[in-house]
Amino acid sequence: MSMKCDVVVVGAGPGGSMAAKAAAQAGLSVIMVEKRQEIGDPVRCAEGVGKWALCQMVKPEPEWIAAEVKGARIYAPDGTSIVMSEDKAGAEVGYVLERKIFDRALAMQAAQSGAKVMVKTRALGLQKKDGVPCGVSAMRAGEMLQIDAPLIIGADGVESKVGRWAGIDTTLRLQDIETCAQFLVHDPAIDDEYTEFFLGNSIAPAGYAWSFPKGEKLANVGLEILGSRSKPGEATRLLKEFVKTHYPGGRVLEMVVGGDPCTGPIESATADGVMLVGDAARQSDPLTGGGILSAMQAGIIAGQVAAKALAAGDVSRAGLKEYEDRWREDIGKHLARSYEFKEFFVKLSDKDLNQLLGSLQKEDISKMDLRGMLRVLFRLNPKLLWELRHLVV
């Protein structure tokens, strides 16, 4: 079986769906393929997003939102805590989504814009002509499928095969990936109004634990540890210990595990006839692990650039340069700063973390964003934070 279109999008997560939607709205014929039979399942993230940034791209529907939180509470290893308001706490705090509903809704918007969405369709490789990608080979319900298209958008996650097939270096070092485990927990002790972050090398070596409330005393409770500090089964073991300590009466209803890139911007997110979006392009935040919003933003850019490149008749890497320029100008700069923060903070001992959060106890941080809080931390702890001085001045 064979099909033809202008753009093939591989992966129907938020980045892929936004790319398909933007390309279809620009008048292109689009096919989006998803290897799973259900879009949005299984959920592999804490599901938190900032309200303002989300609303710049889509109009949230009530059924997408599991909870609306007031802010974030951050705990040092010794139990000391600080509180940040939701509008200052970062891009992962504000709404806690129902990703299964949210992802399907974005895919539906892409379909309503004209994209053809095909689930249970696994991409097997890139078709090439004279060494240049010209489509995708796939398997759908046991039947081979050839999709001819001059442009492919890879939104196929951290393990992106599209990137590798296109010759893009997507390898990750152990120190540039977080091993993650998450439970959906029901416990009367869950705070329904605040996301919570727990620091400490005994809790999550070179990482952190979290609780993202989903209403009615339900929460996504998880942790991530640096790959270079992990071993098989370690994240799950530590998460069980964390839940036993902090939610002793909790009942675990679901469990997911996975990996999250925590590297800086990828060297190249394009090749001839190919653009990568979201985790495939390492566009998640290296410090927090959050990547929903950046994937959506990059997807929109990719869809818009696809239309321009096809209209100009140039889908070479040079013809796709606008995509690289636009996402790096905004998303890329943020990722680069976050990577430097991450590289510094993973070296801190629990004593250092206690000192930093303890130093904020007498400071009013309620109206500070992360950069403002770092400036205060640097003023109070110049020796400890000296190597970050160029990021906070």
Side-chain angles (χ1 to χ4, degrees):
M1 180 179 177
S2 63
M3 306 175 72
K4 283 188 176 183
C5 62
D6 295 318
V7 179
V8 178
V9 179
V10 179
S17 288
M18 296 302 285
K21 176 183 175 181
Q25 287 178 334
L28 302 181
S29 59
V30 181
I31 295 175
M32 180 167 65
V33 300
E34 168 57 49
K35 64 184 179 182
R36 298 183 178 89
Q37 64 182 9
E38 292 187 47
I39 292 171
D41 192 16
V43 173
R44 290 186 175 177
C45 78
E47 303 180 278
V49 295
K51 296 179 193 175
W52 183 86
L54 180 67
C55 293
Q56 298 306 299
M57 294 181 281
V58 291
K59 180 181 178 182
E61 299 293 338
E63 59 268 26
W64 300 359
I65 312 301
E68 187 172 348
V69 299
K70 292 182 177 179
R73 190 174 287 113
I74 304 171
Y75 292 90
D78 63 3
T80 300
S81 67
I82 60 171
V83 177
M84 301 181 72
S85 62
E86 60 90 7
D87 60 323
K88 302 296 183 182
E92 287 74 53
V93 177
Y95 288 137
V96 181
L97 300 171
E98 287 287 3
R99 276 293 300 273
K100 294 177 184 179
I101 298 173
F102 176 73
D103 284 19
R104 291 168 193 170
L106 293 188
M108 179 63 73
Q109 289 186 6
Q112 291 170 340
S113 297
K116 182 177 180 62
V117 180
M118 302 177 67
V119 297
K120 212 171 182 180
T121 305
R122 181 182 295 272
L124 301 177
L126 299 183
Q127 300 180 63
K128 294 186 179 182
K129 183 177 181 180
D130 298 326
V132 177
C134 60
V136 170
S137 300
M139 177 76 73
R140 187 185 193 202
E143 182 180 357
M144 288 299 300
L145 173 65
Q146 303 294 324
I147 306 175
D148 297 327
L151 192 54
I152 299 100
I153 297 176
D156 51 337
V158 64
E159 70 281 2
S160 178
K161 292 182 179 179
V162 171
R164 293 202 302 273
W165 294 332
I168 299 172
D169 184 4
T170 59
T171 56
L172 283 169
R173 302 172 300 169
L174 283 175
Q175 60 264 41
D176 287 333
I177 189 167
E178 296 279 357
T179 301
C180 309
Q182 180 173 274
F183 296 157
L184 177 62
V185 176
H186 180 271
D187 192 299
I190 287 168
D191 189 334
D192 288 330
E193 296 186 331
Y194 285 85
T195 57
E196 296 184 309
F197 300 91
F198 301 82
L199 308 179
N201 288 289
S202 61
I203 295 175
Y208 66 96
W210 63 80
S211 172
F212 277 65
K214 301 196 70 174
E216 299 180 349
K217 301 302 178 181
L218 278 171
N220 288 325
V221 178
L223 59 75
E224 60 179 28
I225 57 180
L226 201 62
S228 57
R229 302 276 295 273
S230 181
K231 53 188 177 183
E234 185 76 352
T236 302
R237 182 186 68 79
L238 289 172
L239 180 56
K240 288 178 179 178
E241 291 180 2
F242 177 79
V243 170
K244 184 177 180 180
T245 300
H246 291 81
Y247 306 100
R251 291 181 294 147
V252 176
L253 306 179
E254 293 180 9
M255 172 184 171
V256 292
V257 296
D260 198 11
C262 58
T263 184
I266 196 170
E267 183 175 340
S268 175
T270 57
D272 290 345
V274 172
M275 291 183 280
L276 300 183
V277 165
D279 280 353
R282 310 295 178 248
Q283 289 166 339
S284 56
D285 190 304
L287 185 63
T288 67
I292 297 173
L293 297 176
S294 57
M296 292 173 66
Q297 184 179 350
I300 293 170
I301 297 170
Q304 294 171 344
V305 170
K308 292 183 180 180
L310 286 166
D314 185 4
V315 296
S316 68
R317 184 179 176 187
L320 301 174
K321 184 176 181 296
E322 181 184 341
Y323 173 65
E324 294 276 21
D325 291 343
R326 287 175 61 185
W327 83 259
R328 290 182 189 281
E329 178 61 26
D330 186 357
I331 302 168
K333 287 183 178 179
H334 171 75
L335 298 184
R337 287 194 300 269
S338 285
Y339 183 71
E340 289 195 62
F341 287 134
K342 168 248 172 179
E343 287 290 275
F344 174 78
F345 281 107
V346 297
K347 297 182 291 187
L348 296 179
S349 66
D350 284 2
K351 181 180 178 181
D352 295 332
L353 293 168
N354 289 333
Q355 176 183 327
L356 287 174
L357 267 72
S359 69
L360 293 173
Q361 293 302 296
K362 295 182 179 179
E363 300 289 328
D364 181 9
I365 65 167
S366 60
K367 303 238 181 336
M368 295 181 193
D369 59 12
L370 180 60
R371 193 179 181 94
M373 187 171 70
L374 285 168
R375 288 196 186 100
V376 174
L377 282 171
F378 184 77
R379 172 172 58 82
L380 298 172
N381 307 273
K383 185 175 180 180
L384 182 58
L385 299 178
W386 186 250
E387 68 181 81
L388 294 181
R389 61 193 182 280
H390 64 291
L391 295 174
V392 298
V393 294

